[in-house]
Amino acid sequence: MAVDEGARTVTPGQAAEELELRRGEFRLATQLGLVRTVPVGEGERRRVERTEIDRLRAAPDFPEGLRERVRAVGTREAAALLSVPQDRFTRLARTGHLSPVRFYLNRYRAVVWMYLAAEVSEFALTHPALLAGRLPQDVRERLDAHEDARPRNWRMRRLGLLLRATDDPWVRAAAIASMLDPVHLAEVVGDPYERAHLDRLRPLPQPAHAVSPAAREVTDRLARADEPDEVLWHRMSLALALEEARADRPAPRPGEARARVPLPPARSRPPLIAPLPSTLGAPDAPDTPGVPGVRLPAVRPLVVRPAAAVPPRDVPGRPRLLDRLLRRKAAGAARVRGGRRRAAWP
């Protein structure tokens, strides 16, 4: 496997092999901070230092201890760890007593939540009263209101992991922006160049075995805040993160990246990115992709033909194609009146 600068760092695949972890376990270990990674070169490539691998392998409980700390279990295994029925564990998870660490979609496109086995075992030691007998009144009221805190708890956990993984203010702002839908994002970030920069830095979605558009729609819905107080919290957090990012450096502009490319005069050059109009839903303007209800003026290149290249028209102001269609329709009607009909294909 390839290594960097005298075998100081190794690729994630080689690190997972040496730590005896599966790919999903290694990814979860890096997200939880159990395996530290370092950036290498430009972009988002990260590798693992050889000293980090040596530190983990020197632990007395390696590899079983590391595997146990990243072991994720579903509802059935989690209920078995707590020695409770599965429906009781589901009630505890829906009311926010346990936070999922990831999810996937099964073949029926149903969401399957996964929990850290270590956290489930710790919950059994710290909350024994919730494992037997009747649930408290407040928990029953939340269940009667059909509350489900699992998506929100997973989003908050994921956001915390993303924020701890970087010190770049723009990357941190992009992590918060990924929690908002395009409409709320456009209201908080009015500059289209800043929105484009945040979109480029947006964290990759969690692999959820979603290959169909319908499954991708489910994962996108789970990744975005949907409760009013949660949306407000992320909007305020994004506004504060943007102030910090702007103070560090402005968002890149297209002109900066294309400074060496000669451009036509400004009077004839269309804008690189159409500005956000002050009035939403203006007529005669197409919807912005991904932003329902926000319309931007369409920018279409003008095709100017010389006067000599314009074909003559049979009737002033009417295209030749339309004249041919009208004549063909009239000829067909005359044949029908004469008793001749077209053959009807089965």
Side-chain angles (χ1 to χ4, degrees):
M1 302 294 291
V3 296
D4 274 356
E5 302 177 6
R8 286 195 312 107
T9 62
V10 299
T11 61
Q14 182 176 350
E17 182 179 351
E18 295 191 20
L19 294 176
E20 302 183 25
L21 296 176
R22 292 190 292 268
R23 180 177 301 180
E25 293 174 339
F26 178 80
R27 185 186 302 113
L28 185 57
T30 58
Q31 293 174 354
L32 297 175
L34 300 176
V35 178
R36 296 188 294 264
T37 59
V38 294
V40 176
E42 299 181 356
E44 300 179 356
R45 294 175 55 246
R46 302 185 72 89
R47 296 168 70 96
V48 182
E49 292 183 334
R50 173 63 62 183
T51 56
E52 177 70 3
I53 296 178
D54 296 338
R55 180 185 69 85
L56 294 171
R57 290 181 62 90
D61 59 349
F62 179 84
E64 290 78 9
L66 181 58
R67 284 204 204 111
E68 184 62 25
R69 289 194 291 273
V70 297
R71 185 165 71 97
V73 296
T75 300
R76 177 181 302 177
E77 295 179 82
L81 288 174
L82 297 180
S83 300
V84 298
Q86 295 185 33
D87 58 346
R88 189 179 187 93
F89 176 84
T90 302
R91 294 191 187 101
L92 294 173
R94 288 176 63 93
T95 50
H97 290 85
L98 291 140
S99 177
V101 69
R102 65 182 180 91
F103 72 90
Y104 69 92
L105 303 182
N106 60 16
R107 59 180 178 177
Y108 305 107
R109 290 206 296 266
V111 180
V112 180
W113 296 103
M114 305 295 291
Y115 308 84
L116 284 177
E119 292 184 357
V120 175
S121 301
E122 183 181 357
F123 180 82
L125 300 176
T126 55
H127 300 83
L130 295 175
L131 304 182
R134 193 177 187 186
L135 292 173
Q137 178 65 27
D138 60 330
V139 176
R140 296 199 305 270
E141 291 177 355
R142 295 165 67 182
L143 290 172
D144 294 339
H146 304 286
E147 180 178 333
D148 190 354
R150 290 173 296 181
R152 179 169 181 168
N153 285 348
W154 170 78
R155 287 191 294 265
M156 296 303 297
R157 178 194 283 269
R158 180 170 183 264
L159 179 59
L161 296 176
L162 292 173
L163 294 179
R164 286 196 298 268
T166 181
D167 294 328
D168 188 288
W170 278 104
V171 177
R172 293 171 64 88
I176 302 174
S178 66
M179 302 289 157
L180 297 173
D181 62 36
V183 175
H184 289 291
L185 180 60
E187 293 176 352
V188 178
V189 189
D191 189 344
Y193 298 107
E194 291 183 344
R195 289 201 305 273
H197 188 48
L198 293 175
D199 186 66
R200 287 191 295 268
L201 299 176
R202 180 182 297 271
L204 296 176
Q206 174 190 291
H209 303 171
V211 293
S212 65
R216 177 56 58 189
E217 181 182 356
V218 174
T219 59
D220 291 343
R221 174 175 52 83
L222 292 175
R224 293 171 180 167
D226 56 357
E227 299 181 10
D229 61 329
E230 185 186 5
V231 172
L232 179 60
W233 174 263
H234 290 311
R235 286 173 62 112
M236 296 173 61
S237 300
L238 178 58
L240 295 175
L242 280 176
E243 291 183 4
E244 181 181 353
R246 291 163 181 159
D248 181 74
R249 66 185 185 276
R253 304 281 167 163
E256 299 174 1
R258 302 173 179 266
R260 299 182 181 179
V261 180
L263 297 176
R267 181 173 301 177
S268 61
R269 184 173 70 247
L272 297 176
I273 297 181
L276 185 66
S278 57
T279 303
L280 303 182
D284 71 350
D287 286 343
T288 305
V291 185
V294 179
R295 299 172 178 264
L296 297 182
V299 180
R300 300 181 61 185
L302 297 178
V303 180
V304 181
R305 296 183 179 178
V310 178
R313 297 175 177 176
D314 296 342
V315 180
R318 181 184 297 173
R320 296 179 59 190
L321 178 60
L322 180 59
D323 285 338
R324 290 199 300 269
L325 293 176
L326 292 176
R327 287 196 297 268
R328 185 177 301 174
K329 182 178 180 180
R335 286 194 297 269
V336 171
R337 287 194 299 268
R340 299 177 58 185
R341 295 180 180 272
R342 293 178 177 268
W345 294 94

